[in-house]
Amino acid sequence: MKIKPTYQELEGKIELLIQKNEKVFAELIRKNQELQTSEEELRSFNEELVATSEALKESNDQLVVANEKADESNRLKAEFLNNMSHEIRTPLNGIIGFTEFISKPNLTDEKRQ
C-alpha cells in the first residue's frame, strides 16, 4: 500500500529541487563566464599568432630575396675572380717566359737586349 505524500512534503521536495536548480544555474552562469573569459583570451592569442605568422612570412620573403641577392653576388664574385685570374695570368706567363729566356747563362748580351 502506497501512502500519498502530503502537500507539505511535496512543497518541501519542490523547495529542495528549486534550491538545487538555483545552485546548478548559478554554477552554469559561473562556468559560462569562465568560458567567455577563456574565449576572449584565445581570440587575443589567435590574433597575436596571426600577426606573428604574417611577420614571419614577410621576414621569410625578405630572407629569400636576400639569399637570391647573396647567391648572385657570389656568382658574380667567382666570375670576376676567374676573369681577373685569366687577365693577370696571361701577361704574367709572358713575363715569366721572357725572364727565363734572358736568364739563360749561354745567352749573349746582344740577344738579351
Side-chain angles (χ1 to χ4, degrees):
M1 176 183 313
K2 279 189 168 182
I3 300 176
K4 289 185 178 180
T6 65
Y7 179 77
Q8 290 175 340
E9 289 173 339
L10 289 175
E11 201 173 53
K13 287 182 181 182
I14 290 172
E15 185 62 35
L16 285 174
L17 287 174
I18 290 172
Q19 288 173 2
K20 283 182 182 178
N21 282 343
E22 287 174 349
K23 287 180 184 177
V24 168
F25 186 70
E27 182 66 16
L28 286 174
I29 289 173
R30 188 183 66 75
K31 292 285 186 183
N32 187 42
Q33 290 171 344
E34 287 177 8
L35 285 173
Q36 286 176 347
T37 301
S38 295
E39 183 182 9
E40 290 172 9
E41 290 172 357
L42 289 172
R43 284 184 195 274
S44 175
F45 185 64
N46 188 47
E47 289 172 4
E48 290 176 25
L49 285 176
V50 168
T52 301
S53 176
E54 289 172 0
L56 286 173
K57 185 183 180 312
E58 186 177 323
S59 293
N60 191 44
D61 292 344
Q62 291 173 354
L63 286 173
V64 167
V65 170
N67 191 38
E68 288 170 356
K69 286 181 181 179
D71 288 345
E72 178 68 9
S73 293
N74 224 6
R75 187 187 64 74
L76 291 173
K77 179 186 75 170
E79 191 176 308
F80 172 77
L81 289 175
N82 285 339
N83 287 340
M84 290 306 296
S85 174
H86 174 73
E87 293 298 324
I88 292 172
R89 196 173 44 243
T90 301
L92 207 53
N93 283 337
I95 293 170
I96 291 171
F98 280 119
T99 304
E100 287 175 358
F101 176 74
I102 61 173
S103 65
K104 290 183 179 178
N106 57 355
L107 199 63
T108 65
D109 285 338
E110 187 179 304
K111 284 189 177 182
R112 266 196 193 103
Q113 290 295 332

